[in-house]
Amino acid sequence: GMVYRCQNDKNWSLIFANSACLQLIGCPPEDLISGKIHYVNFIHLDDRDHVWGNVQKALNKKEPFTLHYRLITSNGQEKWVREQGRGIYSEQGVLLFLEGFISDITQQHNSERHNKILEDISQASLQASHHEPMLNEVLKSVLNEFGCDRVWLIYPLYPRRKNIPDHQGNDPSGLARRVCKNSCDADHPCDESRVPQRAESQSRPPL
């Protein structure tokens, strides 16, 4: 993991960073230390206020801190990290700088996320007494996790066809309407306008 020493400013200006920062964020330590680029630029935009606020709370109490947040590396990859740090103070109690350790926990985070999905699906299955309510609850759990449209889940690679026969020649559009009826708009009978458009080259061949 990345060992660091930095100033307590909005850029998290680096005083020291070990060579592990190259593997973590794709940037050599000398670029961070020189100020050519700042560590804050690698923190996910949605997480920057969270990181700043929680570090300041810990410093005000002169306590160590542990944070979980996302980084966007120099090549655009998203990583989840755990940061453990503390303030270093003078004998007079004045904050001098921060020291800490940042580790990549992406694999652990994704594993926990997948386990949560499976747990939600299992709970939905146990709570439903009929197949359709169970399917509806399972889909709800999956869609909440991935943020996709129900129609896309049913017709992921058929953006322009409503009536797709299955391997037995049955039209599944009725199933789509049953699945969608509890959550879709009244004027949305699983219509193709709600299905994300995909490139033709990605289309699945007819069954």
Side-chain angles (χ1 to χ4, degrees), residues 22-71:
L22 180 60
Q23 181 179 1
L24 183 68
I25 60 178
C27 177
E30 51 267 26
D31 285 356
L32 291 167
I33 295 169
S34 67
K36 182 178 179 180
I37 191 167
H38 298 291
Y39 182 74
V40 70
N41 298 120
F42 296 98
I43 301 177
H44 193 290
L45 279 170
D46 292 341
D47 294 345
R48 292 181 188 179
D49 289 343
H50 154 73
V51 170
W52 174 260
N54 281 282
V55 170
Q56 302 316 302
K57 286 179 184 178
L59 293 176
N60 289 337
K61 298 178 181 179
K62 294 190 176 182
E63 295 177 347
F65 55 85
T66 299
L67 308 170
H68 296 85
Y69 58 91
R70 293 164 291 179
L71 293 177

Side-chain angles (χ1 to χ4, degrees), residues 55-185:
V55 170
Q56 302 316 302
K57 286 179 184 178
L59 293 176
N60 289 337
K61 298 178 181 179
K62 294 190 176 182
E63 295 177 347
F65 55 85
T66 299
L67 308 170
H68 296 85
Y69 58 91
R70 293 164 291 179
L71 293 177
I72 304 297
T73 68
S74 60
N75 64 3
Q77 180 185 2
E78 181 178 291
K79 292 183 177 180
W80 277 91
V81 297
R82 176 189 293 115
E83 178 176 347
Q84 296 169 288
R86 60 175 183 160
I88 303 298
Y89 301 85
S90 69
E91 292 181 358
Q92 292 74 34
V94 177
L95 178 66
L96 301 175
F97 45 78
L98 309 180
E99 285 185 343
F101 181 80
I102 303 170
S103 55
D104 183 352
I105 60 165
T106 305
Q107 188 173 355
Q108 175 187 339
H109 174 82
N110 290 340
S111 177
E112 291 174 353
R113 181 184 179 192
H114 294 159
N115 289 338
K116 177 66 165 56
I117 294 172
L118 292 175
E119 182 182 345
D120 288 347
I121 290 174
S122 176
Q123 288 298 318
S125 301
L126 290 172
Q127 292 171 8
S129 58
H130 298 89
H131 291 301
E132 281 197 23
M134 181 185 73
L135 177 60
N136 193 56
E137 290 303 314
V138 168
L139 286 177
K140 213 180 277 184
S141 297
V142 174
L143 293 169
N144 285 341
E145 186 64 32
F146 292 102
C148 60
D149 186 271
R150 285 181 176 234
V151 181
W152 183 88
L153 190 66
I154 296 168
Y155 298 133
L157 296 175
Y158 291 91
R160 296 180 180 86
R161 297 177 62 191
K162 292 182 185 177
N163 300 317
I164 312 300
D166 61 17
H167 66 283
Q168 295 179 329
N170 298 317
D171 176 9
S173 60
L175 171 63
R177 288 186 177 86
R178 292 199 301 277
V179 170
C180 291
K181 68 182 179 181
N182 292 328
S183 63
C184 297
D185 299 331

